């Protein structure tokens, strides 16, 4: 069922400790059990499994439970040992796990959605179950009565969710690339604002309630940090993936962000450094450097008897420029560009070699990562995906010394 790979850190990269296999279909979510050598997984194969580490060093299922529909997501509350499973049929099932993690009892089934549940969060403070679904809605239900409290509809699939328990604000990412901030009440909701910045569907959100930062990852391969608490509309673009970003977690002790993408890329971002916002792209009918017309500027093309050029944009200044005036490429990590991007010749000449120093580290998970969970106190990370494999990693050599000091190898 599971193979033990390494028992101790070997280098300054993620170290694979264990690989768990056994699911017959894609694993949609995996969470580490706090203070236990255990993992909870849910899968398209309709099973919920609790894996505990045995004396042999391998993980074996202590709970193997099958439900009526494929499991799409979960929310686990360790203090109460309550677990909520979102399903493909739109229902959410609640279970109570025993103290020894060997038994799971059914509590309630919630008719939350008409289609696949994409994400869900249990709030102990309000006793609410909040969920998003492919029926283009956000719903919140009472876990005491099991009744529906409210529902809010969107124009496209609601794909991911975060919730601030202190203010009762919900953040919902959708398939169109927008993030909606809502205030939830007992029986109503109100839209506070809509965040627009991604060019592809938003796949994951992560909320840090202390800094009041919202992180979003999308199919456009990018991560955006939205400074909600600053109230200035500040948004930092982070480009360090080659495929869609599907998992995020911010580590406040070390001021680092960990992001994972569908191709197995694991990126660790330094969020303590001062960063700059990427500029808005400017509109123009002609190159803002050489003044040559773009191909839709028919009047200038006719007056000057020249062919129109294709429009590009400098990632550093945002100006609209032609290909000839933007022939150079460079990284610019302070603005979030860890890979080489288009620069106009003037901006390229202003970049010094120290400006190209990376502000992120890049690692390879070597499998599709659809979901990730971290336990910073132990320096552990678990990843899972469509390849049916769950991997447990030692991250102590990657995410900083303050995490490493809290880790005790078992």
């Amino acid at each position: 069922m599971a193979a033990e790979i390494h028992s101790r850190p070997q280098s300054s990269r993620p170290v694979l400790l264990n690989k768990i296999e056994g699911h017959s279909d894609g694993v949609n979510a995996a969470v580490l059990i706090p203070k236990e050598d255990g993992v909870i997984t849910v899968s398209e194969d309709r099973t919920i499994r609790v894996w505990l580490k045995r004396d042999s060093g391998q993980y074996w299922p202590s709970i193997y439970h099958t439900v009526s529909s494929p499991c799409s997501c979960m929310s686990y509350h360790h203090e109460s040992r309550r677990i909520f499973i979102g399903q493909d049929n739109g229902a959410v099932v609640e279970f109570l796990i025993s103290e020894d993690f060997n038994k799971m009892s059914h509590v309630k089934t919630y008719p939350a959605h008409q289609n696949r549940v994409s994400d869900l969060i249990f709030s102990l403070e309000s006793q609410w179950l909040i969920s998003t679904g492919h029926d283009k809605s956000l719903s919140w239900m009472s876990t005491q009565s099991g009744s529906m409290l409210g529902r809010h509809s969107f124009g496209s699939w609601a794909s991911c969710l975060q919730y601030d328990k202190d203010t009762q604000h919900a953040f919902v990412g959708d398939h169109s690339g927008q993030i909606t901030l809502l205030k939830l009440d007992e029986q109503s909701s109100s839209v506070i604002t809509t965040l627009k910045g991604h060019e592809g569907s938003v796949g994951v959100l992560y909320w840090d309630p202390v800094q009041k930062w919202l992180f979003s990852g999308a199919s456009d391969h990018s991560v955006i940090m939205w400074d909600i608490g600053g109230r200035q509309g500040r948004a930092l673009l982070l480009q360090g993936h080659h495929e869609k970003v599907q998992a995020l977690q911010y580590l406040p002790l070390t001021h680092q962000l960990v992001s994972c993408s569908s191709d197995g890329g694991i990126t660790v971002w330094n969020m303590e450094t001062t960063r700059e916002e990427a500029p808005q792209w400017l509109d123009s009918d002609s190159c803002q450097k050489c003044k040559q017309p773009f191909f839709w500027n028919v009047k200038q093309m006719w007056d000057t008897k020249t062919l129109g050029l294709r429009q590009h944009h400098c990632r550093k200044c945002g100006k609209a420029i032609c290909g000839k005036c933007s022939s150079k490429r460079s990284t610019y990590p302070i603005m979030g560009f860890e890979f080489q991007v288009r620069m106009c010749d003037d901006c390229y000449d202003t970049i010094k070699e120290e400006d190209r120093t990376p502000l992120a580290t890049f690692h390879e998970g070597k499998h599709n990562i659809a979901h990730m969970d971290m336990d910073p106190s132990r320096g552990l990370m678990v990843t899972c995906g469509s390849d049916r494999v769950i991997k447990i990693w030692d991250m102590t050599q990657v995410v900083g010394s303050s995490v490493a000091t809290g880790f005790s190898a078992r």
Side-chain angles (χ1 to χ4, degrees):
M1 290 265 183
E4 185 172 19
I5 312 298
H6 289 296
S7 59
R8 293 181 181 172
Q10 304 293 318
S11 63
S12 58
R13 65 176 185 269
V15 176
L16 182 60
L17 299 176
N18 290 89
K19 185 166 71 172
I20 304 173
E21 298 176 290
H23 283 285
S24 60
D25 208 335
V27 183
N28 288 319
V31 298
L32 295 161
I33 303 174
K35 302 176 184 178
E36 296 284 342
D37 279 321
V39 180
I40 306 173
T41 59
V42 299
S43 168
E44 288 289 331
D45 65 11
R46 301 187 296 117
T47 66
I48 306 156
R49 309 188 195 195
V50 177
W51 308 80
L52 296 181
K53 191 175 183 180
R54 307 305 184 186
D55 292 338
S56 64
Q58 297 184 350
Y59 284 79
W60 289 84
S62 62
I63 295 175
Y64 183 112
H65 187 89
T66 303
V67 291
S68 60
S69 181
C71 305
S72 54
C73 54
M74 74 167 142
S75 176
Y76 173 61
H77 187 264
H78 182 64
E79 284 71 22
S80 63
R81 298 188 312 282
R82 297 167 74 177
I83 185 168
F84 299 82
I85 312 297
Q87 297 181 273
D88 189 64
N89 62 8
V92 176
V93 188
E94 178 186 355
F95 295 94
L96 180 64
I97 300 177
S98 63
E99 288 188 34
D100 60 3
F101 294 96
N102 284 311
K103 184 181 178 182
M104 193 166 67
S105 305
H106 177 264
V107 178
K108 282 190 185 78
T109 298
Y110 302 85
H113 296 276
Q114 300 297 316
N115 209 325
R116 185 180 179 92
V117 183
S118 56
D119 205 352
L120 74 164
I121 290 174
F122 167 60
S123 171
L124 181 67
E125 291 75 17
S126 58
Q127 290 292 321
W128 286 357
L129 173 65
I130 310 156
S131 60
T132 53
H134 286 185
D135 59 359
K136 304 180 182 179
S137 75
L138 165 79
S139 72
W140 57 107
M141 306 184 71
S142 168
T143 56
Q144 295 173 317
S145 65
S147 61
M148 179 73 70
L149 296 176
R151 186 184 296 275
H152 182 91
S153 297
F154 300 92
S156 60
W157 283 0
S159 50
C160 50
L161 168 69
Q162 285 287 275
Y163 179 69
D164 185 275
K165 60 183 178 61
D166 294 328
T167 62
Q168 295 186 328
H169 284 133
F171 303 89
V172 180
D174 66 35
H175 201 65
S176 73
Q178 294 187 165
I179 302 166
T180 305
L181 169 58
L182 303 106
K183 175 68 168 69
L184 303 185
D185 295 311
E186 278 290 342
Q187 309 228 331
S188 65
S189 65
S190 54
V191 175
I192 305 301
T193 189
T194 302
L195 306 176
K196 300 178 181 179
H198 286 290
E199 297 178 0
S201 60
V202 182
V204 61
L205 296 174
Y206 189 88
W207 171 246
D208 178 64
V210 177
Q211 296 287 345
K212 298 193 181 304
W213 290 345
L214 179 70
F215 298 92
S216 58
S219 61
D220 60 6
H221 311 172
S222 70
V223 176
I224 296 179
M225 189 212 83
W226 309 87
D227 186 2
I228 304 297
R231 300 180 181 274
Q232 300 294 321
R234 184 167 175 259
L236 298 177
L237 178 66
L238 305 173
Q239 291 191 339
H241 288 280
H242 296 292
E243 280 296 334
K244 57 184 177 181
V245 181
Q246 302 196 128
L248 294 168
Q249 184 155 340
Y250 176 66
L251 308 176
L253 286 177
T254 55
H255 308 287
Q256 291 170 299
L257 174 72
V258 181
S259 59
C260 303
S261 54
S262 59
D263 61 354
I266 301 170
T267 304
V268 181
W269 304 87
N270 176 1
M271 300 306 297
E272 192 171 24
T273 188
T274 302
R275 291 180 177 271
E276 297 177 7
E277 284 189 82
Q280 294 289 323
W281 287 2
L282 301 177
D283 292 324
S284 179
D285 292 327
S286 57
C287 176
Q288 293 181 298
K289 295 293 182 180
C290 68
K291 309 304 180 184
Q292 289 293 305
F294 293 131
F295 63 83
W296 60 83
N297 189 351
V298 179
K299 184 179 185 305
Q300 186 178 347
M301 288 165 58
W302 177 263
D303 292 343
T304 59
K305 302 297 187 291
T306 56
L307 291 174
L309 304 175
R310 184 182 174 188
Q311 178 182 254
H312 301 283
H313 286 90
C314 172
R315 300 315 193 261
K316 188 173 184 293
C317 67
K319 289 183 178 179
I321 45 179
C322 66
K324 185 178 179 181
C325 294
S326 59
S327 60
K328 296 176 180 178
R329 305 288 184 272
S330 176
T331 61
Y332 197 53
I334 197 171
M335 207 172 273
F337 300 117
E338 294 288 341
F339 302 148
Q340 290 196 347
V341 291
R342 183 182 295 272
M343 297 276 182
C344 68
D345 295 346
D346 290 347
C347 285
Y348 182 87
D349 292 339
T350 65
I351 299 176
K352 301 174 183 177
E353 196 57 41
E354 55 265 31
D355 295 333
R356 297 186 175 94
T357 303
L359 296 176
T361 59
F362 304 92
H363 314 278
E364 181 55 59
K366 296 184 179 178
H367 78 140
N368 167 263
I369 299 177
H371 187 270
M372 170 268 288
D373 181 47
M374 294 189 72
D375 184 344
S377 66
R378 294 184 288 169
L380 295 177
M381 178 176 76
V382 61
T383 58
C384 63
S386 60
D387 60 356
R388 301 174 290 182
V389 175
I390 303 110
K391 292 184 177 182
I392 300 174
W393 306 86
D394 176 8
M395 297 289 287
T396 57
Q397 300 300 303
V398 179
V399 294
S401 57
S402 62
V403 172
T405 55
F407 173 75
S408 58
R410 300 190 177 198

